[in-house]
Amino acid sequence: MKRQYAVIGLGRFGGSICRALSEQGMEVLGIDMDEDRVNEYSSIATHTVIADSTDEGVLKNLGIRNFEHVIVAIGENLQSSILTTLILKDMGVSKITVKAQNDYHERVLLKIGADRIIHPERDMGIRIAHQVVSKNVLDYLELSDEYSIVEMAAGEKMSGKSLQEMNIRAKYGCNVVAVKRSHEVIVSPHADQKVEEGDVLIVIGGEKDISRLEKDLMA
Ligand code: ATP
């Protein structure tokens, strides 16, 4: 039977993934070469091991290829991050997610076959910037290079108007995929759906289009 998750590198990022997965009842193996880090997570993760992930033999002995998903959360040491990813790929790990330091690091990781690259600091910076620019933006998530999804609180300007009246799709090229109103969620709302102040709109669209919408309608 496949085991669940392994997290390599228990710094702030890897550690928080390890903690969150454990809290969700997942089986997690935490690996770090630093004994103190490993001790910190020994009572949180299912198993913890002090090991250098660039040592192929060590990863083999840990049976790393049997894990469903391995997360490489080594930050600063690019060489270790790349070598670890390469070894995991060679061993046939089915899903590998890697934290990247910069765009060059990302390109190398993609070339050697990482399945998903994450830039936690950059992504969080973008999310916070959107929240800071408009007090109505509650959350922001980048879906791809082109599309994002944003959660925005409807203000006075939107109150009492239908989606059609605001012309969101035609004017901004964005789609409202749901409207949250207290505990109710209206999924795929019709064009005649009226919006009330305090509703939360889940909007999908291009980065620039969403920004225009935020500026015009959310002020
Ligand atoms: P964060 O921002 O998540 O705290 P960071 O970007 O500062 O992390 P590092 O501190 O460089 O990243 O690395 C995260 C963790 O990975 C550290 O605890 C470090 O000991 C561990 N680590 C680094 N290289 C290896 C390796 N080859 N094998 C196992 N663990 C490693």
Side-chain angles (χ1 to χ4, degrees):
M1 205 186 91
K2 280 259 177 194
R3 292 160 85 190
Q4 294 184 313
Y5 299 94
V7 178
I8 300 177
L10 299 172
R12 284 164 303 176
F13 180 65
S16 77
I17 292 181
C18 188
R19 187 184 295 272
L21 286 171
S22 302
E23 282 170 3
Q24 288 174 50
M26 305 295 170
E27 192 187 323
V28 191
L29 167 68
I31 302 169
D32 203 294
M33 64 202 296
D34 182 308
E35 189 178 350
D36 292 339
R37 291 271 163 92
V38 170
N39 289 339
E40 201 182 325
Y41 286 91
S42 59
S43 58
I44 297 166
T46 323
H47 306 282
T48 41
V49 179
I50 304 167
D52 182 344
S53 60
T54 59
D55 184 333
E56 197 167 351
V58 168
L59 291 186
K60 230 179 224 159
N61 288 339
L62 287 170
I64 205 86
R65 64 186 296 273
N66 296 318
F67 281 81
E68 263 173 45
H69 193 161
V70 179
I71 296 137
V72 182
I74 298 171
E76 271 163 35
N77 191 334
L78 299 196
Q79 193 176 323
S80 291
S81 159
I82 292 165
L83 190 52
T84 300
T85 307
L86 193 62
I87 295 171
L88 294 171
K89 191 71 194 167
D90 274 356
M91 284 182 170
V93 172
S94 40
K95 192 153 184 224
I96 308 169
T97 294
V98 192
K99 170 182 165 172
Q101 275 293 83
N102 53 49
D103 290 343
Y104 293 110
H105 189 194
E106 169 167 4
R107 275 158 65 181
V108 174
L109 293 168
L110 286 172
K111 274 240 154 62
I112 59 176
D115 299 289
R116 186 171 173 209
I117 312 295
I118 30 186
H119 296 262
E121 291 90 354
R122 187 188 74 183
D123 295 348
M124 190 48 87
I126 295 172
R127 279 172 87 170
I128 298 296
H130 277 268
Q131 291 171 23
V132 170
V133 164
S134 162
K135 67 177 172 35
N136 298 68
V137 173
L138 308 175
D139 207 352
Y140 178 92
L141 188 72
E142 199 180 66
L143 293 179
S144 69
D145 285 346
E146 279 175 73
Y147 292 101
S148 300
I149 196 156
V150 65
E151 212 181 51
M152 43 176 79
E156 233 183 280
K157 272 193 178 175
M158 285 188 162
S159 189
K161 292 194 180 131
S162 70
L163 297 176
Q164 195 167 28
E165 276 173 87
M166 290 183 276
N167 216 359
I168 293 179
R169 189 176 295 167
K171 206 164 158 195
Y172 302 96
C174 296
N175 277 296
V176 177
V177 290
V179 177
K180 289 203 272 186
R181 182 170 297 161
S182 36
H183 295 298
E184 189 191 0
V185 180
I186 306 153
V187 180
S188 303
H190 290 294
D192 58 3
Q193 174 67 50
K194 284 210 187 310
V195 173
E196 293 170 9
E197 191 173 350
D199 283 355
V200 173
L201 271 54
I202 317 291
V203 181
I204 187 165
E207 163 100 11
K208 286 200 179 111
D209 296 328
I210 287 184
S211 294
R212 278 194 303 126
L213 174 71
E214 283 169 14
K215 249 193 232 134
D216 286 4
L217 290 176
M218 289 291 160

